[in-house]
Amino acid sequence: MDREEFLKHLKRGEYNKLANLIYKDKYYLTYLDEIFNSNNKDDIRRGLLILKRLNNEIIERYLYYILRGLNDKRMIAKISEEILIKYSNKETIEEALLEISNKQLSDRIIYLFIENIGQSMFLKSILKYTKTDSVEESFKVLLKNYNSEEILKILCNKLYSQNKKEKEFALNILLNIVDSLDENQRNILRKYLNILLLGDDSKKLYNKFKQLFDKLNIEINHNKIDIMSLLKSDGKKALNLILRENIKIPSSFYNREFLREFLYGKDEDRQFIGVKLISLMNDTKNKVELLFKFLNYGYGKAKTASIKELKKIAKNDEDLRNFIETKALKYAKKMDLSLKISSLRILKEFSRRDYLPFLINEHSRLRDLILTLDEEKYMGGFRHMLMIENEIKKCKVAMDLIEEIVAEICLKYEIHYSSLRLSEKLGYEFYKTIANIGSKNLNLINIYELLRDVMYNGELIVYLTEIVSNNSNEINDELAEEILKVVENVELENKDVLNANKIIIYSSLNRIDKIGEIINMAVGYSSKLAFITAIKKLIDNNMLNDEKIKLIIPKIAEMLYDSKKLRLMALEFFEKYPNEIVIPIILNEIEKNKCNNREYKLMMNIITNAIFKYPHTINKLKNLLNTDKRNICLKIMLKVSEKMPELLRDYIYILASQYTLSDDEDKKLITKILKNITTENERKILRPIIKI
């Protein structure tokens, strides 16, 4: 049978026929060699299915390929496991590998084990093969008996892995064996270690890399470091290296090539690194100019970082402060909306009184621009419409910023909002400015004028809510009554938003008489969020008695079956304010539903806190102990055993009976619980079963 015919039978899945053929003539193993040396995963899977039908003598010839298959696709890994279990006559793959470790293994199998040393089954196999008790000792044996360059190369390659655990494991091995290496071996390490390893994101790993470099006497010569080439190869790590090693960057570095590499390439991450590099410069006009270039042409986080750095310089340097202010004001006057927004964020830091005419005029210009853009929205295709909507959004952001700056100026110079006479000048009010001022100083606004406006335009209730929620202690009874009259008569198309605002206002004014209305209003997403926040505030202020809390609990319990955000808020509420009613619901959630780690943690805390408050509810845990969520139940019991061990006395022998059925983690938990809840005599009785 020639090669093509052999492969034809292979594709047809005639594995028994091919296995018998190989038994008759070992020549056909050359075809099998070809299959395993190829990159065709499907052919390799078929080749393994032939091996599965062959004897141990032939399997041993292909042991390397079978072991390699353990890290391959699921089907290949499964077949490889089955072959190894059959070959070793063991029940599990871990036992099979340990059995294989008793044999004399080829170099490449040893290197394969080292490559996979992060997996415990391979690690145990290496320890057994080298007849050592520690990883360090086993590597000393391997370095002595095998190609040390190959072994060190494998370990060094792991230092560049994306897997943090794998990287740290290899690094720990190298740190432990480096002192025992000869000079040739140390030179091999030096060859494979790149200075960028010192720029690792993890500070812990950086310290270990630094230790390894010191042990190998690898000096970091600042003068010989080509900063630009390092930044080009891996900008983030190079930046970390520069910051950690205090590498001085010459002023000549910030040239056209720097701008070409870190600004004009339009890569946000590169631009961000560029800003961070500029931040290392001494505070000068050149530094400010560079930052404004990034403010002008940068994107996203690079823009944000530039703003932050410019604000920082303005705080620390009076001369440059004036330069930054002048430049920001100049850019704020331009109609490039992105640049305008960034410049306004900087101007907010200064908030000078003489900005007011410019800001008011700019707000009016932006409002007119929105009207113009709105008319042009449907004059083009879909992409044109999206572009116009994006420009309108930018206009609104800029207008909000202007209103915030105006509020800052009024608060800073104690200017009453009414004295701005915006309604006379523009024909409309800055309601965000009113809300921001009123939230901090109620005396600088006319609250009654705002109430009158809210009556005519219900959408303005959001600004009233902000003022009331921040001034609950400043509002007198007379004003509170006026606010309530308005709020009760406000009309808004979006009832959920209206109810949310009403709930916040009622709770801020401590209107406990409205509790029934507050409960009934919490029907939509926004109103439920407001409800749970309001109830927390009322409980913290001791405004709700037990009777009223009983009315509220079922409403919050309903939220456990709501959206992710509401469910999380409800869980956090019950963690802080445990209640007996919620225990069966939480236990049912633990038992029936799949939850994420954060939810499980909150649920465990809820049950634990509820048991501390209502000790008789401990009996509700019994059913959970017999489910697949036993581990969670045991974690709850451990917390209870540490604080109130007497509650678990009835569980001593139930836990002891569960011990033999449990995995290693659960056994540890049971042992700890029993230590906390048993007497010395009881421990003596249990010791034949459990090591207490």
Side-chain angles (χ1 to χ4, degrees):
M1 185 187 291
D2 62 10
R3 177 181 174 278
E4 281 69 29
E5 198 174 346
F6 184 92
L7 291 173
K8 194 193 295 182
H9 288 296
L10 183 75
K11 299 285 185 191
R12 286 177 186 164
E14 296 172 359
Y15 309 124
N16 288 329
K17 184 175 183 177
L18 294 174
N20 290 330
L21 199 65
I22 288 167
Y23 275 135
K24 287 175 185 174
D25 189 347
K26 294 290 191 291
Y27 168 77
Y28 293 108
L29 288 174
T30 56
Y31 296 154
L32 213 51
D33 291 340
E34 192 181 322
I35 287 166
F36 284 120
N37 284 313
S38 74
N39 289 320
N40 189 319
K41 297 291 181 187
D42 198 47
D43 281 355
I44 289 169
R45 178 184 62 81
R46 293 173 188 277
L48 287 168
L49 286 168
I50 296 172
L51 275 182
K52 197 175 173 183
R53 291 157 170 81
L54 297 170
N55 59 30
N56 281 2
E57 185 187 339
I58 297 172
I59 287 172
E60 196 159 323
R61 171 174 171 162
Y62 296 97
L63 200 53
Y64 169 76
Y65 299 105
I66 301 164
L67 288 163
R68 189 181 67 179
L70 292 173
N71 289 326
D72 220 310
K73 289 182 179 177
R74 193 171 64 177
M75 188 55 71
I76 291 175
K78 189 182 176 186
I79 299 164
S80 298
E81 276 190 28
E82 288 169 357
I83 295 169
L84 291 169
I85 286 167
K86 175 198 164 189
Y87 171 72
S88 60
N89 198 24
K90 296 292 179 182
E91 293 182 4
T92 65
I93 186 61
E94 287 83 2
E95 290 173 353
L97 285 176
L98 289 172
E99 182 61 29
I100 289 164
S101 301
N102 290 324
K103 301 177 181 294
Q104 184 60 39
L105 301 176
S106 67
D107 289 15
R108 61 180 181 166
I109 289 176
I110 292 299
Y111 302 145
L112 182 68
F113 276 26
I114 295 169
E115 279 174 7
N116 293 286
I117 199 169
Q119 297 178 48
S120 63
M121 60 182 183
F122 285 104
L123 174 59
K124 287 174 184 174
S125 301
I126 285 176
L127 292 171
K128 186 163 186 183
Y129 184 76
T130 55
K131 297 179 176 63
T132 54
D133 297 322
S134 70
V135 183
E136 295 75 37
E137 290 303 315
S138 66
F139 269 88
K140 286 174 186 177
V141 171
L142 292 170
L143 286 165
K144 191 177 178 181
N145 298 325
Y146 294 89
N147 185 330
S148 60
E149 180 166 4
E150 188 63 32
I151 293 168
L152 292 171
K153 183 183 173 184
I154 292 167
L155 288 173
C156 285
N157 284 339
K158 287 184 177 297
L159 300 179
Y160 301 93
S161 168
Q162 295 300 311
N163 186 319
K164 188 181 172 183
K165 283 186 179 177
E166 185 180 27
K167 189 193 298 184
E168 188 170 8
F169 191 61
L171 181 53
N172 288 336
I173 293 168
L174 287 170
L175 277 170
N176 286 315
I177 64 171
V178 68
D179 292 331
S180 62
L181 299 180
D182 61 36
E183 197 55 35
N184 286 337
Q185 291 169 333
R186 291 163 78 86
N187 283 332
I188 291 164
L189 271 186
R190 290 183 187 113
K191 184 170 75 173
Y192 289 110
L193 293 177
N194 189 314
I195 193 173
L196 280 176
L197 289 169
L198 294 171
D200 195 277
D201 288 340
S202 165
K203 189 73 186 290
K204 180 184 171 184
L205 288 182
Y206 159 70
N207 290 328
K208 289 187 175 183
F209 278 124
K210 183 74 172 165
Q211 198 180 340
L212 182 62
F213 274 56
D214 289 343
K215 281 176 179 280
L216 290 166
N217 298 319
I218 300 174
E219 289 185 16
I220 300 160
N221 191 329
H222 292 198
N223 298 325
K224 289 185 179 179
I225 292 174
D226 185 343
I227 296 168
M228 186 55 83
S229 68
L230 287 177
L231 286 162
K232 282 179 179 178
S233 62
D234 191 323
K236 195 175 179 184
K237 285 186 176 177
L239 177 63
N240 287 339
L241 174 69
I242 290 163
L243 293 170
R244 285 168 182 165
E245 296 298 318
N246 293 319
I247 296 170
K248 301 297 177 192
I249 301 176
S251 55
S252 58
F253 173 79
Y254 301 97
N255 52 21
R256 284 185 180 180
E257 188 189 353
F258 168 78
L259 291 172
R260 195 164 52 246
E261 183 67 31
F262 293 102
L263 177 59
Y264 301 131
K266 297 185 178 181
D267 181 322
E268 189 182 326
D269 289 327
R270 300 291 287 171
Q271 288 177 344
F272 179 73
I273 290 165
V275 175
K276 288 295 176 186
L277 289 166
I278 292 168
S279 70
L280 299 175
M281 294 173 72
N282 293 325
D283 291 351
T284 59
K285 280 191 177 183
N286 184 39
K287 179 177 180 178
V288 172
E289 291 283 6
L290 284 168
L291 287 168
F292 270 105
K293 278 185 180 176
F294 276 80
L295 194 73
N296 201 346
Y297 301 107
Y299 297 94
K301 60 184 179 183
K303 244 181 172 51
T304 307
S306 299
I307 294 167
K308 198 174 176 181
E309 189 61 30
L310 284 164
K311 283 182 177 181
K312 187 177 163 187
I313 295 167
K315 272 184 182 176
N316 299 330
D317 192 309
E318 194 61 41
D319 294 334
L320 290 175
R321 180 182 173 86
N322 296 330
F323 182 64
I324 290 166
E325 186 181 1
T326 306
K327 211 157 182 65
L329 197 57
K330 178 187 167 185
Y331 281 171
K333 289 175 182 175
K334 294 187 177 182
M335 282 315 289
D336 178 334
L337 291 170
S338 294
L339 187 58
K340 186 185 288 290
I341 289 165
S342 300
S343 303
L344 286 168
R345 290 192 199 282
I346 295 168
L347 288 177
K348 194 177 176 184
E349 182 70 27
F350 302 95
S351 298
R352 285 189 22 188
R353 190 174 192 149
D354 52 2
Y355 295 166
L356 283 172
F358 158 71
L359 292 169
I360 293 165
N361 183 52
E362 202 63 29
H363 195 282
S364 179
R365 279 178 71 197
L366 289 164
R367 195 166 188 261
D368 292 341
L369 180 59
I370 287 175
L371 296 172
T372 307
L373 289 169
D374 212 36
E375 288 172 7
E376 295 175 3
K377 193 193 255 186
Y378 302 106
M379 291 182 181
F382 182 67
R383 288 183 68 183
H384 172 79
M385 186 181 76
L386 288 177
M387 184 194 75
I388 295 292
E389 282 182 352
N390 190 44
E391 290 299 292
I392 290 171
K393 197 184 288 181
K394 285 178 184 176
C395 286
K396 287 177 178 176
V397 170
M399 287 167 75
D400 281 349
L401 273 167
I402 287 170
E403 292 187 35
E404 286 171 18
I405 297 168
V406 171
E408 287 289 325
I409 293 167
C410 289
L411 288 164
K412 188 176 177 180
Y413 297 101
E414 294 191 346
I415 301 168
H416 197 283
Y417 173 79
S418 301
S419 67
L420 299 174
R421 303 199 340 262
L422 294 176
S423 185
E424 291 174 34
K425 293 174 183 175
L426 305 174
Y428 61 91
E429 302 284 6
F430 288 3
Y431 286 106
K432 193 173 183 66
T433 300
I434 294 170
N436 285 10
I437 296 170
S439 296
K440 292 176 182 175
N441 190 339
L442 206 53
N443 297 321
L444 294 178
I445 63 163
N446 189 332
I447 186 78
Y448 292 99
E449 281 187 12
L450 178 62
L451 288 171
R452 194 162 53 248
D453 291 349
V454 173
M455 279 293 290
Y456 291 114
N457 183 357
E459 288 183 5
L460 300 178
I461 194 172
V462 294
Y463 302 110
L464 177 63
T465 302
E466 192 177 336
I467 293 167
V468 173
S469 63
N470 285 293
N471 288 285
S472 52
N473 297 326
E474 305 295 320
I475 295 171
N476 58 39
D477 293 343
E478 185 187 340
L479 179 55
E481 285 303 318
E482 287 295 319
I483 291 167
L484 287 170
K485 275 182 198 173
V486 171
V487 169
E488 283 164 359
N489 292 294
V490 167
E491 289 185 9
L492 194 62
E493 193 176 334
N494 190 327
K495 296 297 177 190
D496 188 36
V497 171
L498 176 62
N499 288 342
N501 283 280
K502 280 185 174 183
I503 288 167
I504 293 168
I505 290 171
Y506 289 159
S507 63
S508 297
L509 296 174
N510 293 328
R511 293 305 297 256
I512 307 308
D513 56 310
K514 299 276 187 184
I515 197 70
E517 200 176 330
I518 288 171
I519 293 168
N520 292 332
M521 282 193 290
V523 288
Y525 180 75
S526 298
S527 52
K528 283 178 181 178
L529 280 177
F531 173 76
I532 202 163
T533 306
I535 295 305
K536 280 181 181 179
K537 188 176 179 181
L538 290 170
I539 293 174
D540 288 341
N541 292 339
N542 297 317
M543 300 299 295
L544 297 177
N545 57 31
D546 289 345
E547 193 178 324
K548 285 190 169 62
I549 289 171
K550 280 180 185 175
L551 295 171
I552 290 157
I553 295 301
K555 188 76 180 180
I556 297 174
E558 280 177 25
M559 296 181 198
L560 292 168
Y561 304 102
D562 221 306
S563 68
K564 191 176 179 180
K565 170 82 173 172
L566 286 170
R567 175 181 169 86
L568 206 57
M569 286 188 76
L571 288 170
E572 286 169 351
F573 176 87
F574 286 122
E575 182 187 32
K576 191 173 180 182
Y577 312 104
N579 195 283
E580 186 178 359
I581 297 168
V582 85
I583 294 178
I585 300 168
I586 298 295
L587 287 172
N588 185 58
E589 283 293 290
I590 290 171
E591 196 174 333
K592 301 285 173 64
N593 294 337
K594 286 185 178 178
C595 308
N596 59 44
N597 289 337
R598 189 179 177 191
E599 286 180 344
Y600 275 134
K601 192 175 178 182
L602 284 168
M603 287 177 182
M604 286 190 288
N605 289 340
I606 290 165
I607 300 293
T608 308
N609 295 342
I611 289 168
F612 291 150
K613 192 173 179 182
Y614 311 100
H616 64 277
T617 57
I618 190 72
N619 295 324
K620 291 186 165 66
L621 287 179
K622 198 172 285 184
N623 290 336
L624 190 63
L625 199 59
N626 296 312
T627 68
D628 60 346
K629 301 292 170 63
R630 181 198 294 145
N631 182 262
I632 292 171
C633 183
L634 291 171
K635 284 176 180 175
I636 294 167
M637 285 182 155
L638 181 60
K639 287 186 177 183
V640 174
S641 74
E642 288 165 353
K643 195 171 177 181
M644 298 175 79
E646 67 279 2
L647 296 181
L648 294 170
R649 293 284 302 154
D650 293 342
Y651 283 83
I652 293 172
Y653 294 104
I654 295 171
L655 288 167
S657 65
Q658 293 275 347
Y659 185 83
T660 51
L661 305 170
S662 303
D663 59 25
D664 289 344
E665 189 185 350
D666 286 357
K667 281 179 179 176
K668 285 177 185 175
L669 289 168
I670 291 169
T671 305
K672 285 178 182 177
I673 296 164
L674 289 172
K675 267 185 185 176
N676 292 336
I677 66 174
T678 53
T679 63
E680 188 54 43
N681 286 336
E682 286 166 337
R683 283 177 208 147
K684 282 178 184 176
I685 296 166
L686 293 170
R687 268 174 197 143
I689 310 166
I690 306 163
K691 292 177 182 177
I692 304 178

